[in-house]
Amino acid sequence: MELKAIIIGAIGALVETSEMQRRAFNAAFERAGLDWTWERKAYQQMLSVSGGRNRISAYAEQTNTTLTEDQIASVHATKSDIYQQAMRDLGLALRPGVADLIQSASEAGIKLAFASTTSAENIQAIGAALGDASPYTHFAVMTHSDTVQNRKPAPDVYLHVLEQLNISADRAIAIEDTHESMMSAVNAGIACVATPGDYVRNQDFSEAVAIADPGQIADVEWLRSLIATPTPA
C-alpha cells in the first residue's frame, strides 16, 4: 500500500516531558495538601493510565483516598498550570529524529497529522515552548482532548484523523510513545511504530510493527516498507 499519511500520536512522540510532568504532579499534590509523591518508578507505572485526571483518580483509588471529581479536576488543573509554566521557563526541544521526519515527509508529499488527546492548553504551551522549532504548521489535522469522547486506547481519535484526511487505515502509519497510545492506533487498524521515551521503555510494544531508533523515523522509505503489501512467494 502507498503511504499517504504519518500520524504522530502524542506529545511524548514529539518532546520528552515525562520528568517535567512528574515534578508538576508532585507540586500539585503538595499544594492540594495530599501526602503523595510520585517517584520515578511510581510515575512509570502511572503512565500505563491514559490522561492526567485518570492517573490521579486511579492513584486515589489505589491509596484509598477519597477525592471528588471536582477535587481531581482542581489538582489536575494546578498540575497543568505548573507544567505549562515550567515549559515557558525552561523551553523544549524536539526529540531526535522528529524534525528530520517532518522535513522528509513534507518533501515526499506525505501528509502529517497530530492525534493527541491531551488538553488544547498543553498542546499550545508545547508549541510556544518549542518556538520556531514547532512542527504544528506542518500538520494537516491536529486533535486534542475535546476532539473525541473516548480517550486512548480507544481508536476514536485515529478514526477521526483518518476521516479528516480522507484516507484508509492501511495507507497511514502512526508514531507513538506508550503502550496505551500505541493500542489506539492498532485498534483503528493502523500500523504503529513505537518510539518510547525514557520513562516507558519497559512497556509492552509487541503490537508495534517496529520499535524505532530516533534516526529511523525520518527514513520515509523505511516507513513505507512497514506497510508495503508483501510480495507473494
Side-chain angles (χ1 to χ4, degrees), residues 6-19:
I6 297 169
I7 306 172
I8 298 176
I11 59 173
L14 287 178
V15 293
E16 180 59 73
T17 64
S18 293
E19 178 60 16

Side-chain angles (χ1 to χ4, degrees), residues 46-65:
M46 295 311 302
L47 287 175
S48 65
V49 179
S50 179
R53 289 191 190 187
N54 292 339
R55 290 172 197 147
I56 295 168
S57 178
Y59 195 72
E61 185 174 347
Q62 288 177 24
T63 56
N64 295 314
T65 304

Side-chain angles (χ1 to χ4, degrees), residues 43-51 55 153 178-180 200 203:
Y43 189 58
Q44 285 175 324
Q45 295 171 342
M46 295 311 302
L47 287 175
S48 65
V49 179
S50 179
R55 290 172 197 147
T178 68
H179 169 81
E180 200 83 357
V200 292
Q203 289 188 0

Side-chain angles (χ1 to χ4, degrees), residues 34-216:
L34 292 167
D35 187 23
W36 295 356
T37 301
W38 286 352
E39 301 295 348
R40 184 182 177 96
K41 185 175 181 180
Y43 189 58
Q44 285 175 324
Q45 295 171 342
M46 295 311 302
L47 287 175
S48 65
V49 179
S50 179
R53 289 191 190 187
N54 292 339
R55 290 172 197 147
I56 295 168
S57 178
Y59 195 72
E61 185 174 347
Q62 288 177 24
T63 56
N64 295 314
T65 304
T66 301
L67 292 178
T68 66
E69 288 299 317
D70 286 345
Q71 287 174 315
I72 290 171
S74 177
V75 174
H76 186 253
T78 300
K79 175 264 175 181
S80 294
D81 289 343
I82 295 168
Y83 170 51
Q84 291 164 16
Q85 186 61 52
M87 286 191 289
R88 288 192 289 269
D89 292 344
L90 301 175
L92 289 176
L94 290 172
R95 290 183 64 186
V98 173
D100 291 337
L101 167 65
I102 301 295
Q103 180 178 345
S104 60
S106 298
E107 290 174 350
I110 297 171
K111 293 180 180 179
L112 290 158
F114 188 45
S116 174
T117 53
T118 195
S119 70
E121 293 77 13
N122 278 348
I123 291 172
Q124 292 166 1
I126 288 167
L130 286 169
D132 292 341
S134 172
Y136 290 174
T137 57
H138 295 279
F139 295 136
V141 178
M142 289 185 65
T143 65
H144 52 75
S145 58
D146 294 329
T147 303
V148 295
Q149 182 174 0
N150 297 314
R151 298 180 67 98
K152 298 175 180 179
D156 300 38
V157 69
Y158 275 101
L159 295 176
H160 171 82
V161 170
L162 291 174
E163 182 179 6
Q164 294 299 305
L165 294 175
N166 193 29
I167 63 170
S168 58
D170 56 0
R171 293 183 181 272
I173 197 162
I175 310 290
E176 281 285 12
D177 69 317
T178 68
H179 169 81
E180 200 83 357
S181 293
M182 173 196 69
M183 290 309 301
S184 177
V186 172
N187 291 334
I190 301 172
C192 185
V193 174
T195 58
D198 291 340
Y199 271 59
V200 292
R201 296 192 188 281
N202 292 329
Q203 289 188 0
D204 178 9
F205 293 103
S206 59
E207 295 285 340
V209 293
I211 300 176
D213 293 327
Q216 285 181 292

